[in-house]
């Protein structure tokens, strides 16, 4: 039996570049190991991130919600459960995301330009957007796009 091929899980990384401009690019979590979470369980694909204190929030963005230009309060993983939303970064890149998509919001330390600082986000369509937000109590990085592999 051949060794199973590890999966890749896509995510959008909203980050701050060296000039203080927020940007976003698509990367992949790909350091999966095929193992049980303990010796009694069947193996599954796991990619364990570095331990960090965190705050988990369940969020419902109402139809028509727009979060004016702002930075993420801390580096945070955002998993979309239902509905759709968009994120526009200072470089003009706009991405729409829906159920099952994942984003790392890490645009702290941006520098205001042309009335923009951080990112603009809002709901898309005629239903609320529900998500799980896991804020990490860690120092944000600058100019490290795709740092989660």
């Amino acid at each position: 039996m051949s060794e199973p091929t590890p999966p890749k899980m896509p995510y959008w990384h909203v980050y701050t570049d060296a000039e203080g401009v927020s940007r976003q690019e698509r990367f992949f979590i790909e350091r999966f190991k095929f193992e049980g979470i303990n010796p009694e369980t069947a193996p599954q694909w796991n990619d364990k991130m570095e331990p960090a204190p965190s705050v988990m929030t369940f969020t419902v963005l109402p139809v028509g919600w727009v979060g004016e230009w702002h930075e993420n309060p801390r580096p945070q993983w955002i998993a979309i459960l239902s509905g759709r939303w968009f994120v526009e970064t200072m470089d003009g890149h706009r991405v729409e995301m829906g159920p099952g998509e994942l984003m790392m919001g890490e645009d702290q330390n941006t520098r205001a330009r042309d009335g923009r600082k951080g990112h603009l986000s809002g709901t898309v369509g005629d239903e609320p957007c529900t998500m799980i937000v896991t804020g990490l109590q860690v120092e944000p990085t600058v100019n490290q796009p795709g740092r989660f592999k």
Side-chain angles (χ1 to χ4, degrees):
M1 183 176 193
S2 65
E3 190 69 25
T5 303
K8 292 183 178 185
M9 183 182 295
Y11 74 97
W12 287 96
H13 190 179
V14 173
Y15 65 95
T16 303
D17 72 12
E19 286 76 44
V21 174
S22 64
R23 300 185 179 280
Q24 59 188 317
E25 294 179 55
R26 192 169 188 219
F27 295 96
F28 294 89
I29 296 170
E30 54 191 353
R31 294 183 184 145
F32 287 93
K33 292 182 182 176
F34 195 64
E35 61 189 2
I37 56 172
N38 64 46
E40 294 80 37
T41 60
Q44 62 193 34
W45 290 108
N46 296 306
D47 183 341
K48 295 179 181 174
M49 298 284 149
E50 291 294 320
S54 61
V55 176
M56 192 165 85
T57 305
F58 293 92
T59 300
V60 178
L61 305 178
V63 173
W65 179 87
V66 175
E68 297 301 331
W69 288 95
H70 65 285
E71 294 179 334
N72 286 284
R74 63 179 58 90
Q76 57 189 14
W77 286 105
I78 301 171
I80 311 307
L81 301 175
S82 67
R84 296 189 62 75
W85 83 321
F86 74 88
V87 176
E88 181 179 334
T89 44
M90 294 167 64
D91 62 356
H93 192 179
R94 178 183 161 127
V95 173
E96 291 188 12
M97 291 170 253
E101 293 194 79
L102 186 60
M103 185 193 95
M104 165 47 72
E106 190 178 26
D107 62 351
Q108 299 78 23
N109 302 308
T110 57
R111 296 183 200 131
R113 292 187 182 182
D114 302 319
R116 298 175 172 199
K117 182 170 173 45
H119 66 277
L120 176 71
S121 55
T123 56
V124 175
D126 58 0
E127 67 177 295
C129 181
T130 64
M131 50 182 68
I132 295 175
V133 180
T134 305
L136 305 176
Q137 296 178 357
V138 298
E139 286 297 315
T141 63
V142 173
N143 207 30
Q144 291 188 29
R147 70 183 181 109
F148 300 96
K149 300 284 185 192

